[in-house]
């Protein structure tokens, strides 16, 4: 007579323990994927994660619009240079043009304050198939880029580009119209390659104010 | 009553179930790039296919492990809780992105959805109608709400999908919610009518 209730009790206990385990595991998984509930989208989480755990961008070889090859960070440049970096492609009719206009304004602001001497602007193209030095020059000319303050460049190899995108969390997808959609933002990168902050692309003043303090 | 609520013939041979599981699994893995290349196909076709494969595996394992599973799944609560949480998790944009960017997260997605399907098979057999109604209602409300958010969100939620694909996925999720709720209601009505005819 006592067997059935005992089995039923054990069965309910098993159900209860399983439920607690599932809820606990799910809470941990959600906590982890949302970076402690700081965001629900990858881009929100990327921007929240960077100040807390700054990723280090590896040594990067770039080809600038004047054809010169250079390494913006991770080398032995010395000093305390700070890079404000955007990712773009020159054929982009929308976001990258806006980024170009915002950088043009920043360049003007940089020229007016000696505290900004260590700050440089860097536009990196993720479309090496189309963005040769001629296309980069045209983009630089269109936005009146002064090479002393603003460099427009493309990674020297496809593998360097893929590595940079992976390290910085940049995702580029086809837009269905022959162009690309990508996460656009202003990235603050230090001389040692540390990516320390990410600002919204339409808030360049905040990026400059922050870079000025470094 | 609850055990008969779904109109699926639960007595069909387990080898047929294994064939269904193999077919659904093969479809997902052979069409992986096509399915995951679009947000709507990813969520509205691939997710149900993985659940179907899991349910078929659940049927195939029922005779051998049914008693052990039922032992820890009183009234189907564990299976429903696991499936609800799993489905909710993979509707988080960051989780969906991670499944595309990290192969281990992708493996986690496949396993969790197949396991959800297997547990759902056992849960629908064990749960009273009220528990089934709660789960189906909760799933339909959650899926439709997420679908509406996907449709109205002005910004790109997943880095791997464009906003137009996101909007289409939202429409697909709302349709999926309506189809799931209607299918369950029809199956319950069918079971009621059958039990009336038997009496």
């Amino acid at each position: 007579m006592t067997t059935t209730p005992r089995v039923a009790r054990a069965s309910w206990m098993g159900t209860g323990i399983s439920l607690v385990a599932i809820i606990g595991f799910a809470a941990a998984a959600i906590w982890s994927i949302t970076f402690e509930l700081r965001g629900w989208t990858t881009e929100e989480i990327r921007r929240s994660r960077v100040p807390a755990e700054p990723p280090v961008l590896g040594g990067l070889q770039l080809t600038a619009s004047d054809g010169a090859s250079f390494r913006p960070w991770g080398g032995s440049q010395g000093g305390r240079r700070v890079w404000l970096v955007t990712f773009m492609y020159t054929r982009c009719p929308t976001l990258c043009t806006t980024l170009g206009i915002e950088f043009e304004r920043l360049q003007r602001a940089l020229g007016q304050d000696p505290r900004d001497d260590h700050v440089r602007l860097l536009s990196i193209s993720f479309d090496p198939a189309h963005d040769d030095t001629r296309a980069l020059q045209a983009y630089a000319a269109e936005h009146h880029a002064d090479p002393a303050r603003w460099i427009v460049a493309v990674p020297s190899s496809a593998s360097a580009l893929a590595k940079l995108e992976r390290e910085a969390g940049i995702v580029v997808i086809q837009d269905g119209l022959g162009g690309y959609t990508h996460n656009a933002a202003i990235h603050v990168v230090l001389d040692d390659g540390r990516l320390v902050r990410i600002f919204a692309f339409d808030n360049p003043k905040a990026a400059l104010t922050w870079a000025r303090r470094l | 009553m609850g055990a008969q609520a779904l109109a699926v013939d639960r007595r069909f041979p387990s080898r047929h179930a294994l064939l269904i599981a193999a077919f659904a699994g093969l479809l997902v893995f052979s069409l992986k790039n096509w399915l995951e290349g679009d947000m709507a196909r990813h969520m509205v076709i691939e997710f149900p296919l993985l659940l179907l494969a899991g349910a078929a595996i659940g049927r195939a394992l029922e005779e051998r492990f049914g008693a052990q599973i039922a032992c820890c799944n009183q009234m189907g609560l564990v299976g429903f809780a696991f499936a609800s949480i799993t489905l909710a998790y993979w509707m988080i944009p960051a989780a969906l992105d991670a499944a595309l960017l990290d192969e281990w997260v992708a493996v986690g997605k496949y396993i969790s959805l197949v396991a959800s399907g297997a547990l759902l098979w056992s849960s629908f057999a064990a749960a009273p109608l009220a528990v089934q109604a709660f789960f189906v209602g909760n799933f339909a409300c959650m899926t439709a709400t997420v679908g509406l958010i996907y449709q109205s969100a002005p910004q790109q939620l997943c880095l791997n999908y464009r906003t137009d694909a996101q909007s289409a996925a939202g429409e697909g999720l709302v349709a999926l919610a309506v189809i799931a709720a209607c299918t369950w209601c029809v199956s319950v009505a069918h079971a009621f009518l059958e039990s009336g005819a038997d009496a």
Side-chain angles (χ1 to χ4, degrees):
Chain A
M1 280 303 283
T2 56
T3 315
T4 308
R6 200 172 291 159
V7 169
R9 216 169 28 243
S11 192
W12 272 109
M13 192 174 283
T15 300
I17 291 170
S18 303
L19 277 174
V20 169
I22 288 170
I23 292 167
F25 184 76
I30 291 170
W31 183 258
S32 166
I33 200 79
T34 59
F35 190 49
E36 300 167 3
L37 302 181
R38 291 190 218 184
W40 296 98
T41 69
T42 308
E43 185 59 11
E44 283 172 347
I45 293 164
R46 186 176 80 103
R47 293 183 190 190
S48 303
R49 191 184 289 276
V50 156
E53 301 163 6
V56 178
L57 309 183
L60 174 69
Q61 197 75 34
L62 294 173
T63 304
S65 55
D66 60 2
S69 188
F70 76 107
R71 292 166 76 89
W73 50 74
S76 54
Q77 295 91 339
R80 55 174 191 107
R81 190 158 290 174
V82 175
W83 294 94
L84 299 184
V85 184
T86 62
F87 294 85
M88 56 83 185
Y89 66 109
T90 60
R91 292 176 297 133
C92 175
T94 52
L95 221 51
C96 309
T97 305
T98 310
L99 279 169
I101 293 166
E102 296 293 356
F103 260 29
E104 206 175 330
R105 287 196 190 123
L106 268 186
Q107 182 180 240
R108 275 201 295 273
L110 284 175
Q112 291 165 2
D113 193 328
R115 287 177 301 165
D116 301 333
D117 279 352
H118 64 300
V119 180
R120 295 285 182 279
L121 308 180
L122 177 60
S123 298
I124 300 179
S125 167
F126 50 73
D127 185 19
H130 287 90
D131 289 344
D132 53 12
T133 46
R134 226 167 114 181
L136 297 178
Q137 270 169 16
Y139 182 88
E142 186 187 341
H143 295 290
H144 311 103
D146 170 7
R149 296 193 181 279
W150 178 8
I151 300 174
V152 181
V154 64
S156 300
S157 68
S159 59
L161 173 61
K163 183 167 166 278
L164 176 64
E165 286 178 351
R166 200 171 49 249
E167 289 169 344
I170 302 297
V171 177
V172 179
I173 57 171
Q174 305 276 345
D175 68 359
L177 303 166
Y180 301 100
T181 297
H182 61 102
N183 37 353
I186 300 173
H187 305 73
V188 184
V189 182
L190 305 185
D191 233 10
D192 57 5
R194 266 184 305 148
L195 168 58
V196 290
R197 277 285 192 285
I198 301 176
F199 291 91
F201 73 92
D202 56 356
N203 195 8
K205 275 188 184 164
L208 181 58
T209 306
W210 206 83
R212 209 173 253 165
R213 298 204 316 255
L214 294 170
Chain B
M1 182 63 239
Q4 283 78 42
L6 276 185
V8 178
D9 181 359
R10 300 189 65 89
R11 293 159 301 176
F12 72 95
S14 59
R15 63 177 183 278
H16 289 182
L18 281 175
L19 276 177
I20 292 170
F23 181 68
L26 201 68
L27 263 184
V28 169
F29 286 101
S30 59
L31 300 175
K32 181 178 171 292
N33 290 341
W34 181 77
L35 287 169
E36 294 175 5
D38 178 82
M39 195 172 178
R41 291 196 293 266
H42 194 169
M43 301 187 85
V44 183
I45 301 178
E46 189 186 271
F47 284 13
L49 273 176
L50 290 167
L51 289 174
L52 174 69
I57 290 171
R59 165 66 190 98
L61 297 177
E62 195 173 37
E63 278 147 26
R64 192 150 182 192
F65 300 105
Q68 287 93 323
I69 294 171
C71 175
C72 291
N73 193 17
Q74 286 284 317
M75 297 173 89
L77 290 175
V78 168
F80 284 144
F82 184 84
S84 296
I85 290 170
T86 299
L87 288 166
Y89 183 82
W90 294 116
M91 287 182 198
I92 298 173
L96 202 62
D97 261 336
L100 295 165
L101 298 169
D102 184 330
E103 58 186 15
W104 288 108
V105 178
V107 169
K109 182 192 74 179
Y110 297 131
I111 292 173
S112 62
L113 286 170
V114 169
S116 294
L119 284 170
L120 280 178
W121 178 270
S122 149
S123 287
F124 271 109
L129 211 52
V131 175
Q132 292 187 26
F134 179 79
F135 167 74
V136 174
N138 178 55
F139 167 77
C141 288
M142 175 184 74
T143 307
T145 304
V146 171
L148 292 173
I149 291 171
Y150 279 7
Q151 285 179 64
S152 59
Q155 80 275 33
Q156 190 184 353
L157 296 174
C158 287
L159 289 180
N160 289 281
Y161 296 117
R162 302 192 308 259
T163 44
D164 56 334
Q166 175 178 300
S167 181
E171 289 169 12
L173 287 178
V174 172
L176 196 64
V178 172
I179 290 168
C182 290
T183 304
W184 183 77
C185 288
V186 168
S187 70
V188 170
H190 182 258
F192 267 119
L193 290 175
E194 271 203 337
S195 63
D198 290 345

